[in-house]
């Protein structure tokens, strides 16, 4: 028992909502849970008359999204280091 998959929306505004933080527990991968939760969020975002945008930076995961019909719109990255 536990959480099989997680996804969330971030940076919500009147025109779009960003989907990120998508992860599936290794014991549940390959069973469609990740795709189901992303599809659910997409439906909710569209129902709010917003554009769904997916944030992903891992090359393997990008290919997984592309197989699901997503297209790369732009590439960006951000690195931060905590001083201490």
């Amino acid at each position: 028992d536990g959480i099989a998959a997680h996804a969330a929306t971030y940076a919500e505004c009147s025109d779009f909502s960003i989907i990120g933080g998508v992860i599936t527990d290794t014991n549940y991968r390959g069973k469609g849970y990740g795709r189901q939760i992303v599809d659910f969020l997409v439906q909710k975002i569209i129902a709010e008359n917003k554009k769904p945008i997916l944030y992903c930076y891992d090359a393997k995961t990008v290919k997984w999204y592309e197989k699901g019909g997503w297209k790369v719109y732009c590439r960006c990255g951000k690195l931060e280091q905590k001083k201490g």
Side-chain angles (χ1 to χ4, degrees):
D1 293 290
I3 298 172
H6 168 273
T9 58
Y10 305 93
E12 295 190 37
C13 66
S14 61
D15 296 332
F16 64 86
S17 185
I18 296 175
I19 299 171
V22 181
I23 188 165
T24 302
D25 183 285
T26 54
N27 295 318
Y28 296 95
R29 290 187 182 160
K31 299 180 181 185
Y33 294 120
R35 187 153 332 273
Q36 287 178 30
I37 198 165
V38 169
D39 290 347
F40 173 80
L41 288 175
V42 166
Q43 290 173 12
K44 290 293 213 179
I45 293 166
I46 291 171
E48 294 174 359
N49 294 316
K50 296 180 182 181
K51 181 178 183 176
I53 298 173
L54 185 74
Y55 177 76
C56 175
Y57 53 86
D58 178 70
K60 289 181 187 177
T61 309
V62 168
K63 290 182 186 223
W64 181 79
Y65 286 119
E66 288 176 327
K67 287 180 184 177
W70 291 87
K71 295 178 184 175
V72 174
Y73 178 73
C74 69
R75 298 187 185 278
C76 62
K78 180 178 179 182
L79 295 174
E80 294 184 22
Q81 181 178 8
K82 183 176 180 180
K83 297 187 182 200

